[in-house]
Amino acid sequence: MPLFQKDTVEAFEEEVYLSIRYQGVIDEIVVAYYTGDQFYLPLTELFDIFGINYEFDPSKLSIGGFYLTKDIRYKLDFTSRQAMVGSQQFQLDVNNYKIKELDFFLTPEIFNEVFGLELIVDLSRLSIRLVTKNQLPVVKRHTQRNNDKLRARSNPSVEEQYDLLMGRDPRILDGALFDYSLLTTVTSQRQYGSLNLNLGGEILYGDVQGTMISTVNQDTTSLTGTNLRWRYANESQPWFSTVTLGQQSASGLSNLTFQGMTVTNQPLIPLRSYDNYSIDGTTDPEAEVELYQDGRLVEVIQADDIGYYRFLVPLNYGTSEFMLRIYGKQGRVIELERRVQIPFNFLPAGEFRYDLSGGKIASETLDWGDQLNTSSGNLSFGMTNWLTGSLGVEYFENSNQDRPAFNTKLSSRIAGDMLVSLDAVLENFYRLSVRGVGPNASSFSLDHTYFSKQDIYNPLGIKQNLNMNLFYPLRLGSMRFTGRSAFRWVKREDSDQLDIKLDINQFLRGFRFRYGLNEQHNFTPTGHQINSEIILGAVYILPRLPSYHPLLRGSYFRADLSINSSIGEAEELKFQYIKQFSSKLKTQVLTTYNLLQSSVSLEIGLTWDLDAARSTSTFRSTRSSPSFTQTVRGSAGLDRTNGEVIWDSRQQVGRSGVSVRMFQDENNSGTYDMDEEIIPGNAIIIERSSSRMVTKSGITRLTQLQPYRRYNFRVNEAKINNPILVPSKPTFSVIMDPNRIKRIDVPFYTTGIIEGRVDRARGDHLLPVAGLKIILRKVDGSFETILRTFADGGYYSMEVPPGEYEAWVDESQLQFLGVRSSPEKLTFYVLGTSEGDYVEGLNFILE
């Protein structure tokens, strides 16, 4: 038998290009043959697309390997016309296959019979539809990559970082951000105004910020400064992260404000990932189980033959909401919820954190020399993944008999869902805290503190303090309820105080009804006093339906009635109305009727949330006098490199920003030059961020970014109006500078064109080879495509991004033909120019 079959003159046979798409993973074009009543599909080309292993033996006209798993071997021998998959044997009919120069071609029936791949050809659409019960290797790899990406989104510590385009760029003097709040109040008796300015910048390679407050009334005018501090950040050493000078809060248990210095190795960017968390259970055998974390689908698995399933997911700091959705037998769907809490003071095993600080306790009335001294130190260590311990010492002048106070803390996670911590300040106080979560998002907490004496940790002279809270959701039929209870006991030297709060919410047909009880009991040597209040309320949000008037559509209504049960009389009636007219305009009306004093108060507010500022106007009318308050809040940032001021309605001080300039690099310099064309449009995507985007003068600005953090950026090329332009870096990362708007330049180049041909040596002649696959790949791996040779042996590609490339003939086809390529591989450059590069002569000879 010859290597490939010769077509007779009488035989009708036509090449057909067919598209195949499958599960959003496969989207390819294959070359098939059509004889008028039968299609023949390429074997090795489809196996390449499906990711199925194969090895070709040209001397025996056979192909084999393993199918889906390594324990299932297969072989197709076209010499003996035998096929084998596992232990099954099949006979091949000569009419069910064709042997061509570049591949074996099988009928769809053979693919289905031998491999269980049902390939349905639709001639009218020139497409192939694939149906199979097996999971193809290419789909399995795609699913695994998606799961890895989902885990990375939940766990920033394993998040893929793009190539760093710009790192931290510390400056001696730079940055200019300020937040402002302008308040004016007018009443019949007085007028009052104030202006708060929070300033931020960069000085001596560190970020600095402070606040100036100016007040004006009929009698006085004042100007004061406060909260001035400077912070230097070190990102390279684990034992030291920041040093802070100026006014700040102490890191110890007192949390007092002081003026001085703090040194710490606390991470600049708060960690989110803590540990791995196991979620398992049993359900119907082979049921499909979906896991959602904080509303996002994380993973899908199938329970085993006895119904057991297990997930291992990253556990983040804070509260994580998990939901299991199980698709069981007979179409039933089961949903289970679980909530897990990880305090931010927890540390993974083996990690340690420290804080050292010292200075003067801040005072508005005392001069610096008269302020009291203070110092503190704290060391925390992750003993295990469920236990974190810390030791600390604090000193406050003229407190605790002028001696330092030593403290210790143990924080533990028990049974995965319960948190227990113990705080102790020797000779001062001892505190036990327990927090837990239960099924259906229920939760409870308990805190008990015992104080040894009255001092800076206990200025109110409390002996004991106990707090208990319980939240529990409940469903009865179609009605949903939530119950919340709170209990507080405060014991002093000569009195006890009990506070009890009960709150039940009922959800019924769009309404939320509230039933509440507040009681306060005071026990003193002279007797027992009780204050009791019953609260009844209802909330309703009018649906956004066209049948309602636009002024009412989506309106929020709330009514509350409070009853003083101690005297048995209704005390106060409140009615609230809120209407969001648009994304920028909102109004609210609140009226209160005091039933005991027969008085009415009214409050009307109007809020304009514009891009540059936020305005709030409030009118209040009480029995005494009316008043009007106008507040304007916002921020401004100097984009120094572009010479513009960026106004925003949100705060910017303590944050970072970037201005992204996309331009066509006409001289291939890599930097922007005067008169080069700015590419307009918001084509920049920043990942894992809720930043605000502003486009001005063709430049995209992103604000509200976290300083010192490394962000991933991606260019959305679909939003570039000129399709032949490509960015020099479609993905990159940048480290943010504090209190600055950082400029990023993204050069664009015109794509190039490449051209070549493939010929086969036949004696002294060169014959063109059609249908051959040429692999074109960028050396850095950012671009790869497959080209096919035409009938004349030529191939070409347009819109090739600039860069260094490699091109070679598909090895499996070379093996099929029994030839070698000269050269084996071509290496060449596509230059980035304004007109686009043209590379030709990329020729191969098959020998």
Side-chain angles (χ1 to χ4, degrees):
M1 175 180 286
L3 179 61
F4 58 91
Q5 298 167 340
K6 298 292 184 181
D7 300 330
T8 63
V9 178
E10 296 80 15
F12 169 79
E13 186 174 273
E14 182 181 4
E15 281 190 357
V16 182
Y17 289 83
L18 301 176
S19 65
I20 178 170
R21 294 181 175 89
Y22 185 66
Q23 293 189 1
V25 177
I26 297 173
D27 186 1
E28 299 286 347
I29 300 291
V30 298
V31 179
Y33 285 94
Y34 181 55
T35 61
D37 59 354
Q38 185 62 268
F39 280 95
Y40 294 85
L41 307 178
L43 176 62
T44 61
E45 186 171 0
L46 286 175
F47 274 20
D48 280 333
I49 294 173
F50 298 159
I52 297 174
N53 170 265
Y54 69 88
E55 294 180 3
F56 173 62
D57 188 346
S59 63
K60 297 181 180 180
L61 285 181
S62 66
I63 184 173
F66 62 85
Y67 186 66
L68 302 183
T69 60
K70 291 187 177 181
D71 56 343
I72 302 178
R73 305 293 300 184
Y74 76 91
K75 184 176 181 180
L76 282 79
D77 190 331
F78 294 97
T79 302
S80 62
R81 299 176 184 171
Q82 296 286 329
M84 176 271 294
V85 177
S87 60
Q88 292 183 300
Q89 301 285 336
F90 304 90
Q91 185 69 36
L92 299 177
D93 189 277
V94 69
N95 295 319
N96 288 335
Y97 67 89
K98 288 181 177 292
I99 302 176
K100 296 290 184 178
E101 280 189 313
L102 300 177
D103 208 338
F104 300 114
F105 288 79
L106 309 180
T107 63
E109 290 75 20
I110 297 298
F111 277 99
N112 190 17
E113 180 183 359
V114 177
F115 299 106
L117 301 172
E118 186 178 358
L119 297 167
I120 305 168
V121 179
D122 187 339
L123 184 57
S124 64
R125 297 184 178 181
L126 295 178
S127 65
I128 303 173
R129 183 164 65 92
L130 170 62
V131 179
T132 179
K133 296 180 180 179
N134 300 315
Q135 186 182 42
L136 299 178
V138 65
V139 176
K140 186 176 182 180
R141 290 195 297 267
H142 179 80
T143 302
Q144 184 62 44
R145 285 195 297 268
N146 280 347
N147 288 338
D148 292 341
K149 289 179 181 178
L150 286 168
R151 291 190 184 96
R153 290 172 189 152
S154 299
N155 185 3
S157 66
V158 297
E159 180 184 5
E160 176 189 2
Q161 296 285 359
Y162 297 148
D163 291 340
L164 184 63
L165 179 66
M166 297 181 68
R168 171 84 170 95
D169 182 23
R171 302 288 182 87
I172 295 179
L173 180 64
D174 204 345
L177 304 179
F178 70 88
D179 303 330
Y180 63 90
S181 175
L182 178 62
L183 171 68
T184 302
T185 300
V186 179
T187 67
S188 57
Q189 290 85 21
R190 59 191 295 266
Q191 296 181 3
Y192 169 84
S194 69
L195 174 63
N196 286 22
L197 288 178
N198 193 17
L199 309 175
E202 187 171 12
I203 297 177
L204 298 177
Y205 310 111
D207 60 281
V208 62
Q209 64 186 62
T211 303
M212 297 182 63
I213 303 174
S214 174
T215 60
V216 178
N217 56 38
Q218 295 98 323
D219 303 321
T220 61
T221 300
S222 65
L223 178 64
T224 58
T226 184
N227 294 328
L228 179 63
R229 67 136 180 90
W230 174 86
R231 179 179 64 170
Y232 174 77
N234 171 45
E235 304 133 281
S236 59
Q237 299 293 337
W239 49 268
F240 163 65
S241 61
T242 56
V243 56
T244 306
L245 301 176
Q247 188 167 321
Q248 54 197 300
S249 296
S251 58
L253 296 173
S254 64
N255 202 31
L256 289 177
T257 300
F258 75 99
Q259 300 180 66
M261 182 176 69
T262 296
V263 179
T264 181
N265 74 333
Q266 296 287 348
L268 285 167
I269 308 300
L271 297 178
R272 293 186 61 189
S273 175
Y274 174 73
D275 192 11
N276 288 325
Y277 186 61
S278 175
I279 299 177
D280 61 356
T282 56
T283 184
D284 296 338
E286 299 181 353
E288 190 175 81
V289 186
E290 296 177 346
L291 175 65
Y292 293 82
Q293 183 175 6
D294 298 327
R296 296 193 306 270
L297 178 64
V298 175
E299 194 172 355
V300 180
I301 63 174
Q302 190 176 46
D304 61 19
D305 54 358
I306 62 172
Y308 177 75
Y309 62 87
R310 181 175 185 266
F311 295 95
L312 188 65
V313 295
L315 188 59
N316 297 334
Y317 284 97
T319 301
S320 296
E321 303 277 355
F322 294 98
M323 186 188 78
L324 291 169
R325 181 175 293 155
I326 303 172
Y327 298 91
K329 293 181 178 179
Q330 300 176 349
R332 68 173 183 152
V333 179
I334 305 170
E335 291 187 355
L336 304 173
E337 295 181 353
R338 185 178 299 181
R339 177 184 295 177
V340 181
Q341 294 178 320
I342 298 296
F344 285 92
N345 65 311
F346 268 50
L347 295 177
E351 291 194 13
F352 78 97
R353 301 280 186 269
Y354 74 87
D355 298 275
L356 298 173
S357 62
K360 302 272 191 175
I361 299 176
S363 173
E364 296 182 358
T365 59
L366 298 177
D367 294 332
W368 172 263
D370 298 326
Q371 294 175 3
L372 302 179
N373 295 315
T374 181
S375 59
S376 66
N378 188 74
L379 173 66
S380 300
F381 184 75
M383 304 169 69
T384 68
N385 274 358
W386 58 269
L387 181 63
T388 297
S390 67
L391 295 172
V393 59
E394 289 184 299
Y395 169 75
F396 302 98
E397 187 178 358
N398 296 340
S399 180
N400 195 43
Q401 299 178 348
D402 217 21
R403 297 180 303 173
F406 296 91
N407 64 77
T408 183
K409 181 173 185 174
L410 289 174
S411 302
S412 63
R413 181 164 61 101
I414 300 175
D417 298 329
M418 183 177 295
L419 307 175
V420 180
S421 63
L422 176 64
D423 294 87
V425 179
L426 302 183
E427 301 180 352
N428 284 273
F429 74 86
Y430 306 88
R431 178 181 296 128
L432 173 67
S433 300
V434 181
R435 286 172 174 77
V437 294
N440 301 322
S442 59
S443 63
F444 74 92
S445 65
L446 181 147
D447 294 280
H448 179 255
T449 306
Y450 174 79
F451 293 96
S452 303
K453 58 184 177 181
Q454 181 175 357
D455 63 355
I456 196 169
Y457 299 103
N458 181 26
L460 300 179
I462 298 174
K463 291 293 185 181
Q464 295 188 60
N465 187 8
L466 175 65
N467 291 280
M468 298 175 60
N469 290 273
L470 175 65
F471 173 78
Y472 194 83
L474 179 66
R475 183 183 290 273
L476 297 176
S478 61
M479 293 187 296
R480 292 188 301 121
F481 296 86
T482 60
R484 187 185 303 272
S485 63
F487 173 83
R488 185 185 180 213
W489 171 50
V490 179
K491 180 175 180 59
R492 292 182 173 84
E493 186 69 37
D494 56 353
S495 66
D496 290 85
Q497 178 180 321
L498 292 178
D499 293 330
I500 302 173
K501 293 185 178 182
L502 300 174
D503 196 57
I504 297 175
N505 287 272
Q506 178 186 3
F507 302 86
L508 180 64
R509 300 184 181 223
F511 284 90
R512 178 171 65 87
F513 298 101
R514 180 192 175 199
Y515 316 100
L517 172 65
N518 298 333
E519 282 197 359
Q520 185 180 85
H521 297 258
N522 289 293
F523 299 91
T524 63
T526 59
H528 174 204
Q529 293 182 346
I530 302 177
N531 292 317
S532 181
E533 180 185 37
I534 296 174
I535 299 176
L536 304 176
V539 173
Y540 182 73
I541 301 177
L542 207 60
R544 295 183 178 274
L545 299 176
S547 56
Y548 295 104
H549 192 278
L551 293 178
L552 296 176
R553 195 180 303 158
S555 297
Y556 172 94
F557 299 93
R558 175 170 180 168
D560 292 287
L561 174 65
S562 61
I563 302 172
N564 190 329
S565 54
S566 301
I567 60 176
E569 292 187 21
E571 195 170 44
E572 194 173 65
L573 177 63
K574 291 183 178 180
F575 177 79
Q576 187 178 24
Y577 164 75
I578 300 176
K579 169 62 179 174
Q580 187 87 35
F581 291 102
S582 67
S583 60
K584 300 182 181 299
L585 178 61
K586 181 179 74 172
T587 185
Q588 73 170 19
V589 178
L590 174 63
T591 179
T592 304
Y593 182 50
N594 191 312
L595 299 171
L596 297 179
Q597 300 178 2
S598 298
S599 62
V600 179
S601 63
L602 176 67
E603 180 178 316
I604 301 176
L606 189 66
T607 300
W608 289 85
D609 193 2
L610 305 175
D611 293 334
R614 172 179 292 184
S615 170
T616 302
S617 305
T618 305
F619 171 79
R620 295 181 180 88
S621 176
T622 62
R623 186 171 56 179
S624 56
S625 65
S627 65
F628 176 79
T629 301
Q630 175 63 49
T631 304
V632 178
R633 292 185 176 90
S635 64
L638 175 61
D639 185 358
R640 183 181 58 80
T641 55
N642 293 304
E644 296 184 72
V645 176
I646 308 303
W647 298 91
D648 201 329
S649 60
R650 296 187 184 181
Q651 293 184 345
Q652 296 191 68
V653 174
R655 302 276 185 165
S656 299
V658 293
S659 61
V660 183
R661 181 172 58 187
M662 301 180 298
F663 65 95
Q664 185 172 350
D665 191 5
E666 297 179 355
N667 59 3
N668 197 26
S669 65
T671 59
Y672 177 77
D673 297 308
M674 191 67 66
D675 298 329
E676 287 186 327
E677 181 183 356
I678 300 292
I679 301 174
N682 54 344
I684 287 293
I685 297 174
I686 182 171
E687 300 181 353
R688 298 185 57 85
S689 171
S690 58
S691 62
R692 287 168 61 89
M693 180 179 294
V694 180
T695 302
K696 187 178 180 182
S697 304
I699 298 175
T700 300
R701 274 110 174 164
L702 299 166
T703 63
Q704 308 298 311
L705 301 178
Q706 195 168 356
Y708 304 106
R709 177 176 170 179
R710 182 172 175 174
Y711 284 94
N712 282 342
F713 291 82
R714 179 162 46 89
V715 179
N716 185 0
E717 297 181 49
K719 290 191 175 183
I720 303 299
N721 295 330
N722 190 344
I724 68 171
L725 291 177
V726 295
S728 60
K729 284 187 173 293
T731 60
F732 55 89
S733 64
V734 175
I735 298 177
M736 296 298 108
D737 294 324
N739 289 327
R740 279 169 51 191
I741 298 177
K742 191 170 190 172
R743 187 172 68 191
I744 303 173
D745 280 340
V746 181
F748 276 68
Y749 302 102
T750 303
T751 53
I753 300 175
I754 67 166
E755 184 178 4
R757 62 179 294 110
V758 180
D759 294 292
R760 185 171 182 177
R762 294 284 192 179
D764 296 334
H765 302 284
L766 295 176
L767 301 178
V769 182
L772 206 62
K773 289 190 291 186
I774 308 297
I775 292 87
L776 175 66
R777 184 173 66 189
K778 205 171 184 179
V779 172
D780 63 8
S782 62
F783 179 87
E784 183 172 344
T785 188
I786 296 177
L787 310 175
R788 284 189 178 274
T789 57
F790 299 103
D792 63 352
Y795 69 92
Y796 75 92
S797 179
M798 303 176 65
E799 300 182 9
V800 179
E804 183 181 4
Y805 285 86
E806 295 176 329
W808 65 92
V809 182
D810 180 64
E811 292 93 338
S812 62
Q813 290 187 322
L814 292 175
Q815 188 181 17
F816 201 97
L817 292 171
V819 298
R820 62 182 181 85
S821 171
S822 177
E824 293 184 359
K825 184 178 291 187
L826 286 170
T827 302
F828 59 94
Y829 286 87
V830 176
L831 301 178
T833 65
S834 58
E835 298 84 10
D837 196 11
Y838 181 77
V839 182
E840 58 182 337
L842 303 175
N843 303 328
F844 297 93
I845 296 178
L846 307 185
E847 301 172 333

